[in-house]
Amino acid sequence: MPKLPLTLVVITHNEAENIARCLDSVPFAAEKLIVDSGSEDDTVAVAQAHGARVVHQDWLGFGPQRNAAATHSTHDWILALDADEYLSPELAAELAAQLPGIMAGDSPAVVLRRSTIYMGRPMRWYRPAMGEKMARIYHRDRARWADVRVHESLRYEGQAPVMQAPFNHANNPTLVHKQLKVLRYSELKCLDWLDKGKPVRMWQAPFVFFLAFIKDYLLRLAFLDGWRGFMIAQTAASYALYKRMRYYEMRHNPDSVRMAKAALTRHKIDR
């Protein structure tokens, strides 16, 4: 497959189990760049063995980390993947065919569709796991990641073409991984709320879990995926409620921010 003047950029921390699959799924990228924040496993060695250039960047938060990573790219066009994501062969072929024309124009970004693998199997009905649209290819002078600690998205103006074939997300190999991620992501989101002075609205708490569960389980069709769908809806609703409880604690006991940071760091959930 011919190489395109595009850099695959992956931000990593202890991703030795995933990174080779991610890198190998993008055969058309002229450059593969790993921006690592201090992995203690074999991430760096595996990435280098699979053709990637590795640079170190202390952890800044997801949005700032992605923006910092873009500055290390040799090429202006960037494909951003997480280590647990990888292109399907169909999408790799589609991009190899369509990207030359897109990159020659003035599009700011390209939107991809993400398919989720959960508990070892693809989800079949749950809507956010079936072709979720995400801008992941972009020109670094025409788009920028939101400067938030978590749940970052690409910001750009203008129209972005949408590819049809999916890329895959091997989401949370176990429920233990999911619960650890809930702890970390909740903390980061609450810190963003704290910076913005978001009001505390605990009166919403009795309704948050129920409404979030109904949204995912019924409206987004998780129930059609059986017990896996139930688990996805339950963990999503628990995450929505826990964030609000944790933010209430931050506002009413400011020292809990320091104590939680120390505990999460000690258990290597945060860094």
Side-chain angles (χ1 to χ4, degrees):
M1 188 175 290
K3 302 292 185 183
L4 298 177
L6 171 143
T7 299
L8 166 64
V9 175
V10 188
I11 58 175
T12 59
H13 184 258
N14 292 340
E15 292 287 357
E17 292 186 8
N18 294 316
I19 193 60
R21 178 182 58 194
C22 175
L23 293 171
D24 293 347
S25 74
V26 191
F28 54 82
E31 180 184 42
K32 299 178 182 182
L33 173 66
I34 298 297
V35 178
D36 189 76
S37 55
S39 291
E40 298 167 340
D41 62 3
D42 292 330
T43 297
V44 170
V46 173
Q48 291 172 334
H50 286 260
R53 176 168 62 93
V54 180
V55 300
H56 175 83
Q57 171 62 58
D58 290 341
W59 184 245
L60 303 170
F62 281 96
Q65 190 81 354
R66 291 194 192 277
N67 286 325
T71 66
H72 294 284
S73 170
T74 301
H75 303 286
D76 288 331
W77 279 96
I78 292 170
L79 165 59
L81 291 178
D82 292 337
D84 62 356
E85 297 172 338
Y86 56 100
L87 303 189
S88 66
E90 294 80 9
L91 179 56
E94 184 179 9
L95 289 172
Q98 295 201 31
L99 278 179
I102 294 171
M103 294 166 66
D106 57 2
S107 294
V110 178
V111 174
L112 307 181
R113 301 174 187 267
R114 186 169 75 170
S115 178
T116 296
I117 298 168
Y118 184 65
M119 292 189 173
R121 292 184 291 134
M123 299 298 287
R124 297 299 184 189
W125 294 97
Y126 179 51
R127 287 184 176 179
M130 297 298 299
E132 179 185 14
K133 292 182 180 179
M134 313 180 81
R136 288 299 191 87
I137 300 176
Y138 64 102
H139 191 291
R140 63 181 170 187
D141 293 334
R142 304 171 194 164
R144 179 177 175 83
W145 295 93
D147 284 315
V148 293
R149 290 181 175 90
V150 70
H151 300 316
E152 73 285 9
S153 59
L154 198 61
R155 306 292 176 84
Y156 57 90
E157 295 182 357
Q159 296 297 313
V162 181
M163 298 294 103
Q164 297 305 309
F167 72 102
N168 296 309
H169 180 208
N171 182 40
N172 299 311
T174 72
L175 287 175
V176 173
H177 290 79
K178 176 62 177 179
Q179 294 306 315
L180 293 174
K181 183 177 286 187
V182 164
L183 282 176
R184 184 183 181 213
Y185 280 23
S186 296
E187 200 71 12
L188 296 174
K189 188 65 177 178
C190 289
L191 288 171
D192 278 343
W193 287 348
L194 196 64
D195 288 346
K196 296 175 182 177
K198 180 185 170 89
V200 177
R201 298 189 177 99
M202 277 303 292
W203 64 266
Q204 297 176 344
F207 311 102
V208 164
F209 181 92
F210 175 76
L211 293 175
F213 181 85
I214 292 299
K215 179 180 71 174
D216 276 350
Y217 193 62
L218 295 180
L219 301 182
R220 292 179 168 178
L221 306 182
F223 71 96
L224 293 175
D225 276 304
W227 285 115
R228 291 188 305 145
F230 175 86
M231 293 175 194
I232 275 189
Q234 191 277 336
T235 52
S238 295
Y239 174 53
L241 177 58
Y242 175 76
K243 282 186 297 186
R244 286 156 177 82
M245 295 191 301
R246 176 68 182 117
Y247 185 56
Y248 175 90
E249 182 181 33
M250 284 184 176
R251 293 290 297 266
H252 285 78
N253 180 17
D255 198 41
S256 71
V257 175
R258 176 191 60 80
M259 292 188 291
K261 174 67 174 178
L264 292 170
T265 302
R266 183 168 64 253
H267 292 284
K268 299 185 178 181
I269 298 170
D270 202 0
R271 53 191 184 277

